[in-house]
Amino acid sequence: MKAIVLRELGGPNQLRYEDVEVPTPKANEVLVRLKYAALNRRDMFITYGMYPGMKLPSILGTDGSGEVAAVGGQVSDIRVGSAVVINPALNWGDNRAYHGPDQRLVGMPTDGTYAEYIVVPAENVFTKPDYLSWEEAAALPVAGVTAFRALMYRGNLKKGENVLIPGIGSGVALVALQIAVAHGANVFVTSSSDEKLEKAKQLGAKGGVNYRSDQWVKELKKLMGGADLIIDGVGGENFNHMISIANPAGRIVNFGATSGPIKDLILPRVFFKHLDIKGSTMGSPEDFREMLQFFEEHQIPPYIDKCYPLEAATEAQIYMEKGENFGKITLEIE
């Protein structure tokens, strides 16, 4: 089969389009013939060695959808030919509140979805919602479950609340916007691009501000008043602004730190406002199942920015690295 393999570190240009053996499913596994994969910033970080547990060579890719091509001897509830979407979080563990020590993702160290076939445990394949295309289904897993867990499980989102999503345009932030709007929240966003702000409004955001403005925090407070819930994947120096924007007894759920560590955090601003600051990552199997149910109930189509053929994975990652995309970037697998 054809696959995108990373053998050496050094960025997306180190990705190689190669012939590798089709994997064989073990007793409790299934073999999926992939139709589409989707990119995540995790994939790019791995090419630079900026991810824990590095193990090379490895086939990258965490998101994917396809048809079941074969099942192991102990798999009785999944049929060959079934249309499925893959939950990429392996070995989450028994506690929904946090993942166990053996949890890992497909796409390094376990081979991932930048390939024609992938083997995963039977418990990690879920029926593809009928209303989603193959491409849309592939774009959903990582962004969908991360956003859903942050909003609904960790953030305890309620209808009518004010929600702030900084850095709109990334996969998780955009899906979080769609989920929060569908749940009846008043969503506000930030971006460095006025074009992205306008697109977010078209998807249901009440408003947004460009954070390159010197007065963006004041502008945002005037626009929304304050945030009951902030879903942050940015971190960095702007995190102190999140604390300022949060309403008393508000919640901040952080799932990433694309702008690096937080500097000069002033704790009295946290405890005098009685804020809850929570961490979150991808979700449990329950989160994944509930996320799919939510999307099917509300018929939400993931927003896709651009599609590349599998062999152009390097070009796709370079495009993602520039940060100009609005929505998910996908790979079509012939």
Side-chain angles (χ1 to χ4, degrees), residues 75-276:
V75 179
S76 59
D77 57 344
I78 300 173
R79 301 180 63 179
V80 171
S82 299
V84 297
V85 59
I86 296 168
N87 175 10
L90 308 176
N91 303 325
W92 175 272
D94 298 329
N95 194 327
R96 184 174 183 177
Y98 59 91
H99 62 72
D102 297 326
Q103 191 260 356
R104 65 186 190 279
L105 303 182
V106 301
M108 199 293 297
T110 301
D111 284 340
T113 59
Y114 287 12
E116 292 181 323
Y117 291 90
I118 185 174
V119 159
V120 292
E123 63 187 14
N124 283 79
V125 296
F126 289 74
T127 300
K128 180 184 78 69
D130 289 338
Y131 82 98
L132 293 177
S133 68
W134 290 112
E135 184 180 21
E136 291 169 336
L140 188 56
V142 170
V145 74
T146 302
F148 186 85
R149 179 178 174 86
L151 283 166
M152 309 300 283
Y153 183 73
R154 299 291 284 161
N156 192 27
L157 176 63
K158 300 178 181 64
K159 294 180 181 179
E161 288 190 314
N162 281 1
V163 176
L164 172 62
I165 305 174
I168 199 65
S170 73
V172 177
L174 195 53
V175 175
L177 165 63
Q178 293 178 295
I179 293 172
V181 168
H183 194 64
N186 305 309
V187 185
F188 298 83
V189 300
T190 71
S191 175
S192 61
S193 165
D194 290 337
E195 181 182 358
K196 290 183 179 181
L197 293 176
E198 287 304 313
K199 287 182 178 180
K201 292 177 186 177
Q202 293 171 15
L203 291 175
K206 297 290 186 181
V209 298
N210 190 317
Y211 61 74
R212 296 199 183 281
S213 167
D214 292 337
Q215 300 296 317
W216 73 269
V217 175
K218 289 184 178 180
E219 292 173 14
L220 187 59
K221 286 183 176 180
K222 183 178 180 180
L223 183 65
M224 70 181 301
D228 302 304
L229 175 61
I230 299 173
I231 303 299
D232 175 56
V234 180
E237 62 182 19
N238 278 338
F239 194 83
N240 283 304
H241 294 312
M242 300 300 105
I243 292 172
S244 173
I245 294 166
N247 283 331
R251 295 97 67 203
I252 302 174
V253 179
N254 174 266
F255 64 86
T258 56
S259 290
I262 302 168
K263 297 179 181 179
D264 302 321
L265 177 64
I266 302 174
L267 282 176
R269 294 180 180 175
V270 176
F271 59 72
F272 278 126
K273 293 182 78 172
H274 298 265
L275 299 181
D276 288 338

Side-chain angles (χ1 to χ4, degrees), residues 1-70:
M1 70 173 185
K2 295 292 187 180
I4 300 295
V5 183
L6 180 68
R7 297 187 180 277
E8 299 180 21
L9 300 179
N13 283 313
Q14 296 298 329
L15 296 174
R16 298 292 180 263
Y17 184 58
E18 299 182 0
D19 287 307
V20 300
E21 291 188 7
V22 176
T24 302
K26 296 178 182 178
N28 64 340
E29 294 179 331
V30 300
L31 176 70
V32 178
R33 167 70 169 93
L34 291 158
K35 300 283 189 178
Y36 279 86
L39 276 65
N40 294 282
R41 296 192 72 83
R42 171 185 189 268
D43 305 340
M44 182 192 67
F45 292 149
I46 288 172
T47 67
Y48 289 105
M50 299 168 57
Y51 209 83
M54 290 295 302
K55 180 183 177 182
L56 300 181
S58 189
I59 298 172
L60 299 193
T62 312
D63 283 330
S65 65
E67 291 181 348
V68 175

